[in-house]
Amino acid sequence: MLTKIKQLFSDSTAFALALMGNKIVAFLLVPVYTRALDPIQFGDWDMTNTIAMVLTYFCMLGVDTALAFYFFEAKDEKDRNGYFTAAVFVPTFISLIFLAIALIVSKPVADIMYVEPGEYPFLLFLAVLVIVFNVIIQQILAYARFARQVKTFMFGSMGYVIGSSLASVYFVVVEEAGVVGIFYGQIVAQALVAAILMWVYRDKFTRSVEQRHVRELLKYGAPLLPALLAFWVMNAMSRPMIYHMVSPEEAGVFGLAVRFASIIALLTAAFQLAWRPFSVSIKDQEDAPRIYSLLGRAFLVIGTFFILFLTFFIEPIIKIVAGNEAFFGAYPYVWMLALGTVLNTMHLIVGVGLLINKETKAISKTFMAAAPLYFIGNLVLLPIIGAWGTGIMNVITYLFAFLSIYRKGQKIYPVDFRMKSMIAYLALYLTTMGAITWFQMNEWDGLWLVYIGATLFMMLAVFLTGLFNKESLSMVQRLLPKLVGKR
């Protein structure tokens, strides 16, 4: 067990280092964009970027998740290369179809989406062109990740993010191209990185792709398509709804909150990148359920405390980084958005039995049920409490998905995650975070006392709820020195 947990810890740390570089660069772009773009333009960019992100999932069709499974299930290297080749070119082909459609519909869509559509007649087309190169990069880097080629992953990941960022800054600041300039930069940089990665991995591409490679990848991944549809509703629709139901300015402010909430990806994305291949690799071990349980509970505690500490400093950080008073109201939404990300990652852990037993349809059904809940909740709450409604529904919806997938996973692959303790812990956590937000918004003088009290209370809650006990703590104390030691 120790060896496998150490492997997960090592891979997560390596991936976190790459993601940290990416996030630092993205973080440094915030003051550039908030000064070069007004809140409406920022909202235009954020909304377009969100739609592009969701279209990327449609292009992938779950093939990236399927590759994580079949990388380890392949009979030999030749078979693995067949899966890899199919995993790269199937999403690329789909993205080219979307690109052709975008060329036709970009202008009429702009007339509907934007306050000033004349500025963006082909913005959607440019965003989809970015996707073409992005899916190539993501699939090749996924192979590097599964093969534990950490250096390649780190350089490839940081190369395309940093390259895209620098090129975008040039077009936005020097050429004064505005929102369009951001996508110009991404196109130039990502096309170059995609070409380099394809050259580096040219020996892994094969003409010996069999129909079963494509069929098995799609059979595993395609059932996730309804979940992707739901994910589209839950992510792409929230910003346009705020944009049109509240105001474009509020959409821009909320978009900035999303950017800051993505800091949690330093933890969640790194863990997800390592978790998928790790969970599959140990599925046949006798102690696998115990490992899944320990890591699931530990991830919940680490993730929630990360958000807790971020919340203590988020208001002054936003004021310093944004530099534009119009964006200062973004800070109260950050913890709710970040918690949604943690809960979304948790569904991969508590639903591990569904993934390793190829029962991905159950996950899709859950998100198909979650999407109407999210949409209706926003529809009701936005006119009443504005963007707060989206933040609240973000937590409620992902909590629903987390609990639903846990229940379905237990029927196929029982794991004692101490779910009652998890629920009790989350209830105390939500109460605590709500109280902190109230004190912050009312500018209470003794905030540092609130922060100290909240930290001590939540530390106590970890043990009072039974999430961890003395035995668990002793195990962590024994494992931690070995995990952070020589790898």
Side-chain angles (χ1 to χ4, degrees), residues 101-118:
I101 296 171
L103 181 61
I104 298 170
V105 305
S106 187
K107 191 176 185 303
V109 168
D111 292 336
I112 298 172
M113 284 179 56
Y114 306 113
V115 173
E116 299 179 2

Side-chain angles (χ1 to χ4, degrees), residues 60 62-92 135 139-140 142-143 146 203-221 358:
M60 292 291 195
V63 168
D64 53 334
T65 303
L67 180 60
F69 183 86
Y70 285 106
F71 180 90
F72 296 97
E73 292 293 307
K75 295 179 293 185
D76 50 36
E77 187 68 17
K78 180 180 178 182
D79 193 37
R80 184 175 292 114
N81 289 343
Y83 284 117
F84 170 61
T85 303
V88 172
F89 287 104
V90 168
T92 303
V135 295
Q139 293 298 76
I140 295 176
Y143 181 93
F146 304 148
D203 294 337
K204 299 299 181 182
F205 292 108
T206 178
R207 295 182 179 180
S208 302
V209 178
E210 302 174 14
Q211 288 185 359
R212 68 177 180 86
H213 290 136
V214 177
R215 183 175 63 250
E216 288 177 353
L217 287 172
L218 292 177
K219 184 178 180 180
Y220 188 99
K358 305 181 185 180

Side-chain angles (χ1 to χ4, degrees), residues 157-226:
S157 178
M158 295 179 70
Y160 101 83
V161 172
I162 294 173
S164 297
S165 301
L166 292 176
S168 294
V169 168
Y170 169 80
F171 282 106
V172 171
V173 177
V174 179
E175 298 295 332
E176 297 183 351
V179 175
V180 175
I182 298 175
F183 292 98
Y184 284 159
Q186 291 176 346
I187 291 168
V188 171
Q190 293 190 29
L192 178 61
V193 173
I196 293 172
L197 286 175
M198 290 186 74
W199 173 258
V200 171
Y201 282 87
R202 63 191 183 279
D203 294 337
K204 299 299 181 182
F205 292 108
T206 178
R207 295 182 179 180
S208 302
V209 178
E210 302 174 14
Q211 288 185 359
R212 68 177 180 86
H213 290 136
V214 177
R215 183 175 63 250
E216 288 177 353
L217 287 172
L218 292 177
K219 184 178 180 180
Y220 188 99
L224 292 170
L225 184 58

Side-chain angles (χ1 to χ4, degrees), residues 7 54 56 66 100 110 149 171 202 233 271 298 367 377 407 411 434:
Q7 176 186 323
V54 176
T56 302
Q149 297 168 349
F171 282 106
R202 63 191 183 279
V233 172
F271 183 84
F367 279 97
R407 181 179 59 81
K411 294 178 180 178

Side-chain angles (χ1 to χ4, degrees), residues 226-266:
L228 298 178
L229 287 167
F231 191 78
W232 180 81
V233 172
M234 294 167 60
N235 288 272
M237 288 303 294
S238 61
R239 254 64 69 78
M241 289 177 75
I242 296 173
Y243 190 96
H244 293 288
M245 294 180 66
V246 183
S247 71
E249 292 83 359
E250 186 69 9
V253 171
F254 191 83
L256 184 66
V258 172
R259 292 279 180 279
F260 278 91
S262 68
I263 294 173
I264 192 66
L266 289 173

